[in-house]
Amino acid sequence: TSDTQRSIGWKQDVLSPCAGKIVRMVSSQKDKQELKFFKDLMSDYRSIKFDKNSNEFHVVFGNYVIIESDGYFCLLAHLKEGSMQFSVGDEVNVGDKLAEIGHNGSSKMPHLHFQLMDSADLKVATGLPVCFDIKAEVRRQWNKIEYCVPAIGVRIKSLDR
């Protein structure tokens, strides 16, 4: 068993946070099998110097999907190679399984990168603020919290789980 496979996020389901249409995706990036902090840190350094005009956003995001929903664009990144359940042009609903969490792109460990944007074009997209209706673990109890931005280090899950 690799370091990656023992990580808490590895292969966890990634569910669609919105209803919409898949407008862009990359799914062929290999997952890292080991957690190599310093090597991955150097990879992150190369990403900082990344040329936005190159169109090679997989260097940063690894495998990713962009969903258009009501004129906004949701990016979910670092998805496990071969785990994508949909294709470009497909419609998705809230809660549909999109993929699984992977360890690729600019990543030091398996995790999900989520961002809301004003464009599907990553060369010009601007990140937008987002709030969630979630359950958060507070003092070992799961509590419903509406219209919030989770604090750093707080474990969260969807309301229906």
Side-chain angles (χ1 to χ4, degrees):
T1 304
S2 72
D3 292 341
T4 296
Q5 293 170 344
R6 288 193 300 269
S7 296
I8 193 167
W10 177 249
K11 290 181 68 175
Q12 294 295 311
D13 289 348
V14 175
L15 307 180
S16 180
C18 57
K21 182 178 183 177
I22 295 181
V23 295
R24 191 168 181 184
M25 91 193 299
V26 170
S27 60
S28 61
Q29 299 303 299
K30 300 274 185 220
D31 284 296
K32 302 171 192 176
Q33 295 304 309
E34 296 183 54
L35 304 179
K36 295 184 176 180
F37 181 80
F38 291 110
K39 181 180 177 186
D40 293 338
L41 192 61
M42 290 308 297
S43 175
D44 286 351
Y45 176 72
R46 285 191 296 278
S47 297
I48 291 168
K49 295 169 56 175
F50 175 71
D51 178 8
K52 270 187 11 174
N53 296 316
S54 74
N55 274 332
E56 295 186 7
F57 290 96
H58 62 274
V59 170
V60 177
F61 296 121
N63 297 317
Y64 65 90
V65 62
I66 298 176
I67 304 168
E68 180 178 10
S69 179
D70 296 325
Y72 297 100
F73 300 86
C74 173
L75 175 125
L76 299 140
H78 308 299
L79 306 175
K80 185 177 181 310
E81 178 190 19
S83 72
M84 301 287 198
Q85 303 292 307
F86 293 91
S87 300
V88 172
D90 288 348
E91 297 284 334
V92 295
N93 294 304
V94 173
D96 284 349
K97 180 179 176 180
L98 299 173
E100 296 172 349
I101 292 176
H103 180 34
N104 47 59
S106 180
S107 170
K108 290 180 212 52
M109 69 182 69
H111 72 284
L112 177 67
H113 177 98
F114 168 86
Q115 70 185 47
L116 190 62
M117 311 174 295
D118 62 358
S119 173
D121 183 348
L122 294 169
K123 291 180 186 177
V124 299
T126 299
L128 301 172
V130 63
C131 292
F132 300 92
D133 291 341
I134 58 170
K135 287 183 184 174
E137 188 178 38
V138 179
R139 293 190 279 287
R140 299 186 184 190
Q141 297 282 340
W142 288 101
N143 300 295
K144 180 179 177 181
I145 303 174
E146 295 177 328
Y147 202 70
C148 77
V149 176
I152 293 172
V154 172
R155 293 179 60 209
I156 64 171
K157 64 182 178 180
S158 66
L159 290 176
D160 62 349
R161 292 198 162 222

